[in-house]
Amino acid sequence: MIFLIILIVLIAIAVVLFVTWFLSTKADGNCPLCAMKAFPPSKITIDYKKDEDYNGGSKTPIMGWSSWNSLRNHIDEDTILDMAKAMVDTGLADAGYKYVNIDDCWQSSMRDENGMLQGDLESFPSGMAQVGRKINQLGLKMGLYTSNGTLTCEDLPASLGNEEIDAKTFASWGVEFFKYDFCHHKYISGKTPIIEYVGISRKGEREFVKLTPDRAKYTGRAKAIKVDELSTKKGIAFLNHGAGTAQFKVDVAQGGEYVFTIHYKKLASKKETYLQINVNGNTNEVFFPPSVAFTPDARLQTIIKLSAGENIITLQNPVVTRADSSYIQYRRMGKALEDASHAWSMYSGEPQKPITYSLCEWGTNHPWTWGAKAGNMWRTTHDIMPKWFSIVWIYNRTVNMYKSASPGHINDPDMLEVGNGKLTIEENRAHFTLWCMMAAPLVLGNDLRELQNGSKKSDAILKIITNENLIRIDQDSLVKPAKRIGKKGSIDILARPLSNGDVAICFFNKGGSKKEIEFDLATLKDEKYLGISRTSNAQIKNLWSEEIFHSDTIKTAVASHDVKVFRISNL
């Protein structure tokens, strides 16, 4: 009986809170039902398919080294350059490893007097441009890191809100890879205040155009409502959470920059609210500051370019879910990188260095669905660890995303842990092979200097990561990752189509004991993804042992936590 009473009380409280929220949301000009569409938060609702793909960077998965897995925050320019030299001296560069990616902690905690990022003044005294030049002199490419947040994961200056200036800085330093993390992230709000009107003027002049609610053409739920019950003044409302748009036509005699002064009703909010002003298809973003709303209204100014003649101006807030927010922010940086790379080439007269752009969003908002519109590669999971369970977990999650990849747009299951931790040789071999089968970036995370010590382990690791057969699979120009086409006990069967018509087949034993398997190649014809029509008497090459034979079947044994991988030709 007591439990029932408590339950009724809790339900009553929930109903009261919901009604209060519903009424207050409607009163501030936001559509409450539209706000309720923000679930699940990881689903994108923006019509991203109409946007152009990110058009820069490597078309195949990058190969290189990153400082994070082995060095963490203990980096300096001498160590980075030692790693770059080791990449050359060990033959890794000749094998295809070209990127030297300097992860978190390269930057000073202070931006310079011009607001630009700068290298740590003690550990990178030469400056990042000079470090980049020294890396380039070795025939390699420099990569850098910040976060899509107010700070990086190590609490240093990051790029959210500074995308344009930071992209220009990276381009001027010759950066050719950029990793954009997700720490200290701030989501864009789906809420928008009531817009009383927008004044447009030339800088230094009075307004000459006034975009008032009565002039707007509305879509969806957007409409003009009274600003408050005590006034006849109206404002544009219900733009929130993709509810609708308000559109205007404005003619100007001369194209150029104009001041937009947005007059709005304040929201008593502890968070920023948001509006997009779309002009002739170009999006301009406006963030309204948090407010205690001591006075009812306020104004906010921004500079926007108009074209001579008629301009179509649309007010909207398309953010419904957190995925929408991430899409807007990661795409914002991608556009800044593309523009900066092109602009620096034009300014300097040097050949353009397209920047391979890595969305390190941890797979939180399903970037494999929209990442091609924002960048080159996207993390499918949280960070990898040099532990077998971590490698298997990331593999199991990423292997199902095989349809998402294409040239220039890559699933990223994170950096390689080959050579790190207590992984066995079998586990290191399996890890490397699986990443090659999944068309993943091959970014080493071990201490490359140790590969020169002549130890048995170092020689074995170097042999794994320089396997030409597997690298050729990874770098195949089709960029079609392997599909898991079957299971037999603890063995996963993976198959990947290749650009010359060949097929790569991998048998991955997750189990704790050696397993035997027999596989009939004729079953490959049933997989439309592979696109083959015949399999009789195919040429089969074991990509680890180099053995070549002809058969209609593969009979093999796979050790625990190991792989067998073959290239099937003459199909």
Side-chain angles (χ1 to χ4, degrees):
M1 185 64 179
I2 295 175
F3 173 78
L4 182 60
I5 293 172
I6 293 173
L7 181 61
I8 292 171
V9 170
L10 291 174
I11 292 173
I13 292 172
V15 169
V16 170
L17 290 173
F18 175 78
V19 171
T20 302
W21 168 80
F22 186 92
L23 293 176
S24 65
T25 304
K26 191 171 183 179
D28 66 17
N30 280 264
C31 165
L33 294 177
C34 303
M36 292 175 66
K37 295 188 298 182
F39 299 97
S42 59
K43 182 179 179 180
I44 189 168
T45 69
I46 289 176
D47 183 16
Y48 63 91
K49 292 183 179 179
K50 63 180 176 54
D51 295 331
E52 293 182 357
D53 286 353
Y54 182 80
N55 190 29
S58 178
K59 297 302 180 185
T60 56
I62 69 162
M63 297 175 62
W65 172 87
S66 170
S67 62
W68 184 252
N69 284 356
S70 58
L71 300 178
R72 301 287 172 173
N73 58 329
H74 301 292
I75 57 174
D76 56 56
E77 65 179 73
D78 290 338
T79 303
I80 295 299
L81 292 173
D82 285 345
M83 291 292 185
K85 292 172 184 174
M87 186 180 286
V88 174
D89 294 342
T90 56
L92 287 168
D94 290 337
Y97 295 90
K98 298 294 186 182
Y99 290 85
V100 179
N101 297 338
I102 310 172
D103 211 280
D104 208 348
C105 297
W106 62 266
Q107 62 272 67
S108 170
S109 61
M110 304 181 297
R111 287 179 177 264
D112 71 11
E113 62 274 13
N114 297 313
M116 299 170 66
L117 291 170
Q118 57 185 339
D120 185 283
L121 302 177
E122 180 182 61
S123 54
F124 288 87
S126 300
M128 304 313 295
Q130 179 64 11
V131 172
R133 281 191 285 271
K134 290 180 179 179
I135 289 172
N136 292 161
Q137 288 168 4
L138 294 168
L140 306 174
K141 304 177 180 184
M142 181 173 73
L144 285 182
Y145 159 108
T146 71
S147 184
N148 183 8
T150 55
L151 297 168
T152 70
C153 294
E154 291 296 310
D155 310 319
L156 292 166
S159 295
L160 183 62
N162 295 287
E163 293 87 356
E164 187 174 331
I165 188 172
D166 289 354
K168 289 178 178 177
T169 301
F170 299 144
S172 71
W173 291 345
V175 168
E176 295 180 75
F177 172 85
F178 175 64
K179 174 182 172 183
Y180 206 28
D181 217 334
F182 205 51
C183 288
H184 293 284
H185 182 72
K186 288 173 60 180
Y187 284 105
I188 299 172
S189 173
K191 298 188 74 173
T192 303
I194 295 173
I195 308 300
E196 296 178 355
Y197 70 94
V198 179
I200 302 177
S201 64
R202 279 287 196 181
K203 193 172 183 179
E205 301 176 4
R206 302 291 291 181
E207 73 180 35
F208 68 93
V209 175
K210 206 171 185 178
L211 307 183
T212 54
D214 58 295
R215 290 185 56 189
K217 178 182 179 181
Y218 296 100
T219 66
R221 294 176 180 267
K223 62 181 180 179
I225 66 170
K226 288 198 295 184
V227 172
D228 57 60
E229 294 301 322
L230 302 177
S231 171
T232 59
K233 184 168 60 174
K234 289 190 174 183
I236 299 168
F238 302 149
L239 298 174
N240 66 299
H241 294 91
T245 67
Q247 190 176 94
F248 302 86
K249 292 182 180 179
V250 174
D251 284 301
V252 296
Q254 185 177 357
E257 293 186 339
Y258 286 78
V259 179
F260 277 53
T261 303
I262 305 162
H263 296 258
Y264 65 98
K265 181 183 177 183
K266 291 180 182 177
L267 290 175
S269 173
K270 295 181 180 179
K271 296 182 179 180
E272 288 181 330
T273 51
Y274 182 68
L275 175 71
Q276 287 186 358
I277 303 177
N278 188 294
V279 179
N280 304 325
N282 297 312
T283 298
N284 303 270
E285 297 180 276
V286 174
F287 292 88
F288 301 91
S291 175
V292 292
F294 286 132
T295 54
D297 53 10
R299 64 182 183 274
L300 183 148
Q301 293 183 323
T302 186
I303 305 295
I304 293 178
K305 288 184 178 180
L306 297 180
S307 301
E310 184 179 81
N311 294 267
I312 305 299
I313 300 173
T314 304
L315 308 184
Q316 62 184 16
N317 183 350
V319 177
V320 178
T321 65
R322 290 188 169 190
D324 295 328
S325 172
S326 285
Y327 176 71
I328 290 169
Q329 291 168 324
Y330 275 95
R331 184 172 166 79
R332 184 196 304 156
M333 175 54 93
K335 185 70 168 61
L337 292 170
E338 284 185 314
D339 291 347
S341 174
H342 176 73
W344 178 253
S345 176
M346 295 292 290
Y347 171 78
S348 65
E350 298 175 1
Q352 185 174 356
K353 289 185 174 181
I355 300 173
T356 298
Y357 176 29
S358 170
L359 319 181
C360 185
E361 195 256 6
W362 313 334
T364 303
N365 294 295
H366 298 181
W368 49 90
T369 61
W370 49 262
K373 305 297 181 180
N376 291 113
M377 48 193 274
W378 46 85
R379 279 278 295 279
T380 57
T381 66
H382 281 266
D383 289 4
I384 195 170
M385 295 182 285
K387 299 179 183 296
W388 182 243
F389 79 85
S390 174
I391 292 165
V392 174
W393 184 84
I394 290 176
Y395 153 77
N396 280 327
R397 182 170 171 84
T398 307
V399 73
N400 295 321
M401 301 172 191
Y402 65 94
K403 292 182 180 179
S404 302
S406 63
H409 304 110
I410 314 293
N411 292 320
D412 177 16
D414 204 6
M415 298 170 285
L416 290 164
E417 292 283 13
V418 177
N420 290 335
K422 298 181 180 179
L423 298 173
T424 66
I425 290 299
E426 291 79 10
E427 290 168 347
N428 279 306
R429 179 167 51 234
H431 177 20
F432 185 76
T433 300
L434 293 172
W435 263 232
C436 290
M437 289 294 292
M438 293 190 295
L442 300 181
V443 180
L444 304 169
N446 55 321
D447 189 331
L448 303 184
R449 297 167 299 185
E450 294 181 357
L451 297 178
Q452 299 169 295
N453 63 19
S455 71
K456 184 177 180 181
K457 178 182 177 181
S458 294
D459 290 346
I461 295 301
L462 189 57
K463 184 178 180 180
I464 288 172
I465 59 181
T466 55
N467 182 302
E468 291 183 15
N469 295 320
L470 269 299
I471 290 173
R472 198 173 294 121
I473 298 294
D474 179 77
Q475 295 292 298
D476 187 81
S477 60
L478 277 184
V479 192
K480 294 190 74 170
K483 177 183 179 182
R484 183 161 47 192
I485 62 172
K487 295 184 179 183
K488 187 173 182 181
S490 63
I491 292 182
D492 280 4
I493 304 169
L494 309 175
R496 176 177 175 179
L498 302 172
S499 56
N500 69 341
D502 290 0
V503 171
I505 295 181
C506 176
F507 304 103
F508 171 40
N509 185 3
K510 299 178 183 177
S513 60
K514 184 177 181 179
K515 298 290 182 181
E516 294 186 354
I517 187 169
E518 182 173 342
F519 182 77
D520 184 355
L521 295 184
T523 61
L524 296 176
K525 292 186 293 185
D526 299 330
E527 292 291 339
K528 293 182 179 179
Y529 182 67
L530 301 178
I532 60 174
S533 58
R534 61 178 292 274
T535 56
S536 58
N537 199 36
Q539 176 179 293
I540 303 169
K541 181 177 181 179
N542 184 318
L543 300 187
W544 282 108
S545 71
E546 300 279 352
E547 177 192 5
I548 296 175
F549 58 98
H550 293 77
S551 179
D552 296 333
T553 62
I554 297 175
K555 297 180 181 179
T556 190
V558 188
S560 170
H561 296 186
D562 204 354
V563 292
K564 288 289 181 68
V565 58
F566 303 88
R567 184 166 184 142
I568 317 300
S569 304
N570 299 330
L571 298 174

